């Protein structure tokens, strides 16, 4: 419930900034044709379906890119982008249009379910976090490995991937505002974070014991090849499928199945239902799926 509200709040912040008209100057020209082209390009590139009402969000997020290039018309930006299929700007374009909302132990009921699943595994555990964003989710998974497996967790691994390279850079740094970290149990804060001092006051860093278990890699779920191998004990694919259409979701789910151990678990976000999309998985309950 909390995350639904936060997701809605994020959307309305974009909208209200626009509506107020004071915080974002409307000095750049975004035509209907530009907006339609942007929607097409981000769909082709990342599978993200941008609804009609996202126009203001698109304006505010891509405005930074236009200003960076001293441009005032989205048309010019798009022409330049499309003329250079290999340009680095494609990465910035994609990063600008992703939504990275996340939190430590978001949708908290999943973590005890994961702990139960891995507790008595004989060998090392491997988890794929397929929309890792700025790192809070994969670090929460690594903390769960440490809490559940103790010293044996050192042989286990969380592979954390995302299309957004800026989000991954933040994730690799593993530094978060203390106010965000303070929402966790006191025991977790003490065990898994180092509080900053001096210039780092107000920040907390993930301890190496946790970060050593996580490997970050760029990965577009639409790409024909994925640089991850499996077999995974669990795949986390939460709050990303909502941005894709059913066809894209079905293709991705079909590719997840062979990468998972037969008894592996697939974790979905609170508003994501895979039952009607793919027969590769069946619902176990509480937005957790097993291979069919
Ligand atoms: C809302 S965040 C969800 C983060 C986290 N899984 C959670 O539930 O808190 C969605 C993430 O999906 C990523 N994403 C969007 N399209 C993607 C794609 N085609 N391939 C991989 N990641 C993608 C975005 O960059 C973003 O970080």
């Amino acid at each position: 419930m909390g995350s639904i509200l936060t997701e809605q709040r994020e959307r309305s912040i974009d909208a209200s900034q626009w509506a107020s008209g004071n915080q974002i100057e409307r000095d750049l020209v975004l035509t209907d044709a530009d907006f339609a082209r942007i929607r097409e390009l981000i769909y082709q590139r990342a599978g993200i379906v941008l609804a009609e009402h996202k126009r203001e969000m698109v304006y505010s997020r891509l405005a930074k890119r236009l200003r960076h290039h001293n441009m005032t018309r989205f048309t010019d930006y798009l022409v330049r982008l499309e003329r250079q299929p290999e340009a680095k700007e494609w990465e910035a374009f994609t990063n600008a249009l992703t939504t990275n909302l996340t939190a430590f132990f978001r949708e908290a009921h999943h973590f005890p379910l994961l702990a139960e699943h891995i507790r008595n595994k004989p060998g090392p555990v491997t988890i794929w976090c397929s929309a890792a964003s700025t790192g809070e989710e994969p670090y929460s998974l690594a903390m769960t490995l440490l809490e559940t497996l103790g010293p044996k967790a050192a042989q286990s691994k969380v592979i954390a991937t995302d299309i957004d390279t800026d989000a991954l850079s933040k994730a690799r740094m593993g530094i978060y505002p203390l106010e965000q970290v303070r929402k966790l149990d006191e025991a977790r804060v003490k065990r898994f974070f180092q509080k900053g001092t001096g210039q780092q006051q107000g920040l907390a860093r993930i301890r190496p014991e946790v970060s050593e278990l996580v490997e970050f890699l760029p990965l577009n779920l639409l790409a024909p090849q994925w640089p991850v191998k499996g077999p995974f004990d669990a795949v986390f694919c939460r709050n990303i499928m909502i941005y894709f259409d059913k066809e894209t979701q079905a293709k991705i789910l079909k590719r997840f199945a062979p990468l998972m151990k037969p008894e592996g678990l697939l974790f979905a976000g609170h508003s994501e239902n895979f039952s009607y999309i793919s027969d590769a998985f069946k619902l176990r309950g509480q937005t957790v799926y097993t291979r069919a």
Side-chain angles (χ1 to χ4, degrees), residues 7 45-48 98-103 106-107 130-134 137 161-164 167 219-222 238-240 243-244:
E7 201 106 35
R45 205 140 188 111
I48 296 171
T98 55
T99 296
N100 304 119
L101 190 75
T102 187
R106 184 182 191 186
E107 297 176 41
S130 67
S133 188
T134 42
E137 183 174 64
T161 65
D162 201 283
I163 195 173
D164 185 338
L219 184 150
N220 181 354
L221 286 168
L222 247 61
R238 306 192 308 165
N239 305 301
I240 170 169
Y243 298 97
F244 299 154

Side-chain angles (χ1 to χ4, degrees), residues 2-3 15 31 51 62 69 74 130 149 160 172 204 237 244:
S3 36
T31 66
L62 285 179
H69 294 292
F74 279 75
S130 67
L149 305 177
R172 282 193 193 96
C237 182
F244 299 154

